Amino acid sequence: MDKTITYIKRKSLPHYHSIEGLFNSIKTEVSKSNETDLVYTKHSGGSPLTMLKNYLAFDKAKNTIYHITGDVHYMALVTGKRTVLTVHDIGSALEGTILKRLYIKLFWFWLPALVVKRITVISEFTKQELTQIIPFAKHKIEVIPNSVSTSFSQKHYTFNQQCPTILCVGTKSNKNLERIITGVVDINCKLHIIGELTSKQLELLNHFKINYQNSSNLEQEDIVKAYEACDMLCFPSTYEGFGMPIIEAQSVGRPVLTSNYGALLEVAKESACLVDPYNIEAIKVGIEQLISNANYRDTLINNGFENVKRFHLETIVKQYLSIYNQL
């Protein structure tokens, strides 16, 4: 391929983000066979003024295939047709006031979908949702899952059955932390919660006297260590476009509890303890089963190692290279 592949990312922030980590690995692998470049937007946010500033600061290069890696979909209006757009989820298009939803749909979905040649999504679940928003561009959409970072690798451990450390990744409403907290009230364990806690979550943790540790703004190296230090991952999210923590935990060799529908079921399949995320009792029973049943844990860990093979970096990069070649 004689064209440079230029990755466009949102303005770099001073802590780890999954999109950045994911495409850093992809760019490195693609660079082994193709010229690559990386461009960050100059400004963060999604206001009309921010978009205008990012448009004016962008210098379009010739002989280049652009890949907008997520979040800043509106940049397609200046990158042009020879562009791949990756959509991670469409939740933002379904929230807020009517005016806000219209604004998001217009600049993040409708207009970019008209411009770009290819759109990739990270799950069949996201594809179904996106197709409802841009039915006119259905033929452009292709599913390419997220790849698991090579930073996550098998780490042997001895399960602490007396007081296991349960890793909870994320504190936004969809991460379902309040139900997790309520579910472990009668379980002797320690929660390691990654993310900024809300006042309501802190109140709940203190009210139930939960043994917990809280970390936020972690670098990727510290996130990897958190997985290695835990006994299991509890990730019964109510909405995800993919669910990276599932394959990150499985790569390290930890059993996973997650939701029994949507993209999470698609990513985990039969390699995790699947529960109804809206049912506190189901979350509790799932955690207790993972703690008490060593054979069940071992089965999930072994199934997890098999499952993550679908998301190895080399496999995902081949799929992206195929799209670049088409452009």
Side-chain angles (χ1 to χ4, degrees):
M1 187 187 302
D2 61 352
K3 289 178 170 43
T4 300
I5 300 164
T6 298
Y7 295 89
I8 298 180
K9 299 183 181 182
R10 60 191 172 190
K11 182 182 178 182
S12 183
L13 298 174
H15 50 84
Y16 173 79
H17 283 278
S18 58
I19 294 176
E20 282 75 4
L22 167 67
F23 278 98
N24 283 344
S25 299
I26 289 173
K27 179 183 179 298
T28 298
E29 191 69 19
V30 171
S31 296
K32 294 178 181 178
S33 59
N34 299 272
E35 289 293 327
T36 63
D37 198 2
L38 176 61
V39 174
Y40 288 95
T41 57
K42 299 294 184 182
H43 307 276
S44 60
S47 70
L49 181 59
T50 295
M51 286 197 299
L52 179 60
K53 287 180 178 179
N54 284 332
Y55 289 153
L56 294 174
F58 182 75
D59 185 16
K60 186 176 180 180
K62 295 181 180 180
N63 207 37
T64 297
I65 292 172
Y66 288 103
H67 187 159
I68 301 171
T69 59
D71 196 46
V72 288
H73 305 175
Y74 58 82
M75 290 300 293
L77 275 65
V78 289
T79 59
K81 289 187 176 181
R82 195 176 283 118
T83 299
V84 179
L85 169 63
T86 294
V87 176
H88 295 268
D89 64 64
I90 56 101
S92 59
L94 307 175
E95 299 173 349
T97 64
I98 294 176
L99 186 61
K100 180 185 176 183
R101 294 200 303 271
L102 179 61
Y103 174 71
I104 293 294
K105 286 180 179 179
L106 180 63
F107 288 101
W108 267 256
F109 299 102
W110 292 340
L111 293 178
L114 286 171
V115 173
V116 303
K117 280 284 186 69
R118 291 288 186 275
I119 300 170
T120 68
V121 292
I122 56 179
S123 65
E124 289 289 345
F125 175 76
T126 301
K127 180 178 180 179
Q128 293 171 13
E129 289 194 314
L130 185 60
T131 299
Q132 294 178 10
I133 294 179
I134 52 168
F136 57 87
K138 180 180 179 180
H139 63 285
K140 297 182 179 182
I141 305 173
E142 183 172 336
V143 177
I144 300 182
N146 285 337
S147 65
V148 62
S149 171
T150 53
S151 300
F152 298 91
S153 58
Q154 184 175 357
K155 186 77 171 182
H156 291 287
Y157 79 120
T158 301
F159 188 87
N160 184 351
Q161 197 160 358
Q162 300 305 313
C163 184
T165 296
I166 301 175
L167 184 63
C168 305
V169 180
T171 56
K172 293 182 179 179
S173 59
N174 62 302
K175 305 303 181 182
N176 215 12
L177 182 59
E178 289 82 356
R179 289 190 180 93
I180 297 173
I181 293 170
T182 307
V184 301
V185 168
D186 297 321
I187 298 175
N188 187 29
C189 65
K190 175 184 177 181
L191 297 185
H192 183 183
I193 303 165
I194 296 180
E196 297 283 350
L197 290 166
T198 66
S199 56
K200 179 182 177 182
Q201 291 164 347
L202 282 168
E203 183 180 347
L204 203 59
L205 286 164
N206 293 328
H207 173 75
F208 287 120
K209 296 181 173 59
I210 302 296
N211 178 14
Y212 77 95
Q213 171 188 351
N214 181 223
S215 306
S216 60
N217 296 334
L218 297 181
E219 298 294 333
Q220 185 171 11
E221 179 183 355
D222 296 317
I223 290 179
V224 172
K225 289 179 180 178
Y227 280 100
E228 294 175 348
C230 79
D231 292 286
M232 70 172 78
L233 171 73
C234 187
F235 194 65
S237 177
T238 57
Y239 177 87
E240 296 290 332
F242 186 77
M244 283 297 294
I246 295 172
I247 58 175
E248 290 172 344
Q250 290 180 336
S251 295
V252 175
R254 301 298 179 266
V256 173
L257 179 147
T258 192
S259 303
N260 62 0
Y261 77 100
L264 296 159
L265 174 59
E266 184 182 333
V267 171
K269 292 190 173 181
E270 301 301 320
S271 63
C273 176
L274 302 171
V275 302
D276 178 355
Y278 295 98
N279 188 323
I280 294 173
E281 184 63 23
I283 295 172
K284 176 184 178 182
V285 169
I287 292 172
E288 289 177 329
Q289 186 178 14
L290 285 172
I291 293 174
S292 63
N293 192 331
N295 289 333
Y296 181 56
R297 286 198 309 270
D298 291 342
T299 298
L300 292 186
I301 290 171
N302 290 330
N303 289 348
F305 286 134
E306 286 300 313
N307 185 53
V308 296
K309 290 179 181 178
R310 297 188 289 144
F311 309 105
H312 282 176
L313 180 62
E314 296 82 0
T315 302
I316 304 306
V317 166
K318 285 180 181 178
Q319 296 177 59
Y320 277 120
L321 285 173
S322 176
I323 287 184
Y324 300 152
N325 283 321
Q326 292 171 33
L327 268 64

